[in-house]
Amino acid sequence: MTINVREMQPQDVDAVTSLEESCFSMPWKRHDFEEILTNPDRVYLVAEYNDMIVGGCMLTMIAGEGDISNVAVKEKYRGKHIATTLIQELLRFGEEKGIHDFTLEVREQNKTAIRLYEHAGFVLEGIRPGFYDKPKDNAVIMWRRKQA
């Protein structure tokens, strides 16, 4: 399975919005993804397979740090290392922009995602109780910091 990872383009917004709706109980809206295209502090990467967007994730660069969010893979394509590839490419992109410390939040019940992030070098640094709705869940705060 050959996956192509690239930056989201204007023609991808509908597919990315649909991906978000299929993966999250409180999805971002079309206008949120349109805004990413004009925000120099954000990048959204898409994963393509056979010219179809099957995954995506976003990096927001804030004061020299990177915040990773909206990591999504279509259910049919999960377990095929697409999320791993997206995270690796997002980290590489951030590092090229001078970012060395990355953070993210993940539902405490999402053990598969937590293992993925741990494999990418993230460690647990805190919990935000009751952060998520639909269903209610805690947020696990994870960081991947540059080694001193």
Side-chain angles (χ1 to χ4, degrees):
M1 175 175 226
T2 302
I3 299 295
N4 177 45
V5 176
R6 60 173 176 78
E7 289 186 46
M8 178 179 65
Q9 301 299 310
Q11 65 270 20
D12 301 324
V13 171
D14 287 335
V16 168
T17 302
S18 177
L19 170 68
E20 180 89 356
E21 290 169 351
S22 73
C23 292
F24 300 112
S25 62
M26 298 180 70
W28 281 29
K29 305 298 183 205
R30 185 180 207 289
H31 64 84
D32 298 313
F33 293 105
E34 290 172 330
E35 185 272 334
I36 294 168
L37 294 168
T38 61
N39 186 333
D41 296 322
R42 286 189 163 165
V43 64
Y44 189 95
L45 298 182
V46 297
E48 283 183 315
Y49 174 68
N50 286 344
D51 296 322
M52 179 177 56
I53 293 176
V54 297
C57 60
M58 185 173 69
L59 177 66
T60 303
M61 296 167 275
I62 307 167
E65 296 177 344
D67 180 61
I68 296 172
S69 61
N70 301 73
V71 179
V73 175
K74 285 188 175 187
E75 188 172 2
K76 177 180 175 181
Y77 296 93
R78 293 180 189 162
K80 299 180 185 314
H81 306 288
I82 294 169
T84 299
T85 301
L86 280 165
I87 294 296
Q88 289 170 345
E89 288 299 308
L90 203 61
L91 292 171
R92 184 189 59 72
F93 181 92
E95 288 169 352
E96 287 177 359
K97 299 288 185 184
I99 305 290
H100 299 290
D101 297 333
F102 297 86
T103 188
L104 56 82
E105 295 161 342
V106 59
R107 286 180 177 272
E108 189 172 42
Q109 300 304 313
N110 192 344
K111 303 302 184 192
T112 301
I114 291 170
R115 282 191 302 277
L116 164 76
Y117 301 136
E118 288 172 339
H119 184 72
F122 286 83
V123 295
L124 172 100
E125 290 199 14
I127 301 285
R128 283 199 175 96
F131 181 78
Y132 291 105
D133 289 319
K134 297 183 182 179
K136 200 70 169 165
D137 197 3
N138 298 331
V140 173
I141 303 164
M142 301 181 82
W143 279 88
R144 180 179 179 262
R145 299 182 190 272
K146 182 179 181 180
Q147 300 292 327

